[in-house]
Structure formats: structure tokens, C-alpha cells
Amino acid sequence: MGAPLLWLLAAVLLCARAASGTGNNIWTTVDVSGHRTLLTCKLKEAISGPIEGHRWLKGGKVLKEDKSDSLITEYEVVSDDKSGEYQCIFLPELAGRADVQVKGPPKIIINKKSEYGNEGDSIILMCRSSSYPSIEQWKWYKENEMESNVILVNDTEGRMTIISTPEKTELHINSADIKEDPGKYICNGTNSEGSGTAVITLKVRSRLAALWPFLGIVAEVLILVIIIFIYEKRRRTDDVGEDEDGGAAPLKSSSVLNEKSSGSIRQRNSN
């Protein structure tokens, strides 16, 4: 194998390694100063050509992007949820990519502070976290104002089930009970840097709640029908009264004419 071919093969291997995302061609630093956290990636050398820009991501979401040709890119974390795994990418992506880990206690995220469900339905409460290190243990509690909070576990009857991964936890409530299940639920996540919690308020509605809009429409239609019926009945009564009054007048005129005719006849007879 000739020397030119060996050099070509070596160049291809270097480019492939840079594209693999190992970050061996990139220096990364995390500078924490008070409330300020600055992430830096520095490309040792541009192997695949000139740099066309940079991109920062966390959990697949683009945080920042530019078109600078610099071998250094920085990102200042301004979110309260600072801990997690970030990615810096030198564009085009063949130029280099590296992971930057920021350690910290977990920040628990919920979709909504309040969840609603109907009696008898299956309800799922979910908490998640993208913190670094990953969550090692999840726990669920139900708030009890009179006593200490009740820790929740998988129910032997299967009515309440907990499913957890390092990224999220789900509390499944099967056949929700309108008396027992409403209240505040607390999910707690713990990693090596600390723990975090979030509270979800669950409200369970009666089975008839779904029928209330339909019953309201039916009631409105019935009221409208009754109003129309009363109006039509009164209108017909008024029309009948007017017809009776109008029929009496001609009769009266006819009697007067008859009396006049009779008087004229009697007068002629007398003559």
C-alpha cells in the first residue's frame, strides 16, 4: 500500500472520529461563579474545513445557534434548572461535537399544577427531570393535613401503580374514586447532588359531570319550547276573541235594517 493511500486513509479515520461525537477534538470547561454558569467548548483544530457556526442543545432542544467561524463557543446558563447534559456542536456537524455535564440537585418539572379526571376513569400524574446526575430514586406522597404525608407504593390490587425511569416517574390511578383520590400529590426525586419536589393537585369530578353540558342544552330547548307553546296559545285566544267581536256587529246591523223594513211596511199598510 503506497504512502499517499495511507495518508488518505488516516484523514478519513480522523474525520470519522470527529463526527462520532466523542468530543476528543474539543476541550470543554464549566465555570460556576455565584449565580453565573458559563459553558465553553474549544475546538483544537478544524479537521473537516472552516467552521460555519455553532449550536448548543439540551435534551434535544436548541438553546443557541450562531454563524461565527470561531474555534471557541460559549453558552451562559440562565435557567433555574442549570444541571443537566448539554451538547456543543461545531457546524457543519462533521467539525466536532462534545457533551458538557453540569452537576446539580434535580429540578422537577410537571406539565400542569392541577389535573382533572372523572370518577371511574384512569388518571396519570407525571413528573420528569433532565438534571445531571440522573435521578437515582423517585418517591410519591399524598399530602395529609391532619397527619404526616402518606407515602404511596404499588397497590397489590393494581388500583395504584408507580412506573419510574431516571428521566421521569408516573403515578397511575385506575378507577378514580371521588372521595379517596382528590388531593395534593408530591413527587420527590433524588440524585447524588440533592433532591427536588413538585406538587400536583388532583380533582375528581362526578360521573354526571360529563353530562352536565348536554343536560343544560336539553333544559334550554325545553324552556324555549314551553315559551313558544304559551305564546302560540295566547295568540290563538286573542284571535278567537277578535273573530267573535267582528261577527256580532253584522248581526246588529241586520236587526236594525229588519226593524226599519218592518216599520216601512207598517207605514205603507196604514196609508
Side-chain angles (χ1 to χ4, degrees):
M1 185 178 294
L5 183 59
L6 288 174
W7 280 108
L8 178 61
L9 180 61
V12 171
L13 290 175
L14 283 173
C15 290
R17 187 178 66 175
S20 66
T22 59
N24 292 336
N25 195 38
I26 301 173
W27 282 297
T28 63
T29 58
V30 179
D31 182 15
V32 180
S33 178
H35 297 289
R36 182 175 181 268
T37 301
L38 184 65
L39 312 182
T40 303
C41 289
K42 181 178 179 181
L43 190 65
K44 298 176 184 179
E45 57 179 333
I47 299 176
S48 61
I51 302 302
E52 299 176 1
H54 314 92
R55 182 183 300 134
W56 283 89
L57 299 94
K58 182 184 180 184
K61 179 181 179 181
V62 178
L63 304 174
K64 175 185 175 182
E65 190 167 345
D66 61 54
K67 295 183 179 180
S68 171
D69 60 356
S70 174
L71 296 179
I72 299 176
T73 178
E74 295 179 336
Y75 177 72
E76 183 174 355
V77 184
V78 295
S79 171
D80 293 335
D81 184 16
K82 294 183 178 182
S83 67
E85 190 170 69
Y86 299 78
Q87 291 82 37
C88 63
I89 301 175
F90 288 84
L91 302 175
E93 295 195 19
L94 288 175
R97 177 183 184 135
D99 297 331
V100 185
Q101 289 86 17
V102 179
K103 290 186 176 182
K107 176 76 173 179
I108 309 301
I109 302 171
I110 56 177
N111 293 331
K112 294 182 291 185
K113 293 183 178 180
S114 297
E115 291 286 350
Y116 299 86
N118 295 322
E119 183 181 12
D121 288 352
S122 295
I123 301 173
I124 300 176
L125 307 181
M126 185 181 71
C127 295
R128 54 190 176 87
S129 174
S130 58
S131 303
Y132 182 85
S134 299
I135 301 293
E136 298 173 357
Q137 185 180 40
W138 288 101
K139 289 184 179 180
W140 282 92
Y141 301 88
K142 186 178 181 184
E143 188 175 274
N144 191 332
E145 297 180 356
M146 304 301 295
E147 303 174 2
S148 59
N149 295 336
V150 179
I151 186 168
L152 303 177
V153 295
N154 289 332
D155 193 338
T156 55
E157 298 178 356
R159 204 183 74 83
M160 188 171 290
T161 308
I162 298 174
I163 302 175
S164 300
T165 66
E167 291 77 27
K168 67 177 182 178
T169 179
E170 294 179 350
L171 175 63
H172 294 246
I173 301 175
N174 299 313
S175 186
D177 189 283
I178 196 170
K179 294 182 179 179
E180 296 183 4
D181 294 331
K184 293 184 178 181
Y185 291 79
I186 303 168
C187 61
N188 174 275
T190 304
N191 65 9
S192 59
E193 299 296 315
S195 62
T197 61
V199 179
I200 304 174
T201 300
L202 174 62
K203 299 180 180 180
V204 180
R205 298 170 292 199
S206 170
R207 292 177 180 177
L208 297 176
L211 296 176
W212 289 343
F214 173 74
L215 294 176
I217 295 173
V218 171
E220 291 179 357
V221 172
L222 287 176
I223 293 173
L224 182 60
V225 169
I226 292 172
I227 292 173
I228 294 174
F229 176 76
I230 295 174
Y231 171 78
E232 289 293 332
K233 187 176 181 180
R234 289 185 177 179
R235 188 175 66 84
R236 289 175 182 176
T237 304
D238 293 341
D239 290 344
V240 171
E242 290 178 359
D243 291 341
E244 291 177 351
D245 293 343
L251 290 175
K252 185 176 180 180
S253 301
S254 299
S255 61
V256 171
L257 290 173
N258 291 332
E259 290 178 358
K260 289 183 178 180
S261 299
S262 300
S264 300
I265 293 171
R266 286 195 299 269
Q267 186 177 3
R268 284 196 299 270
N269 292 332
S270 61
N271 295 331

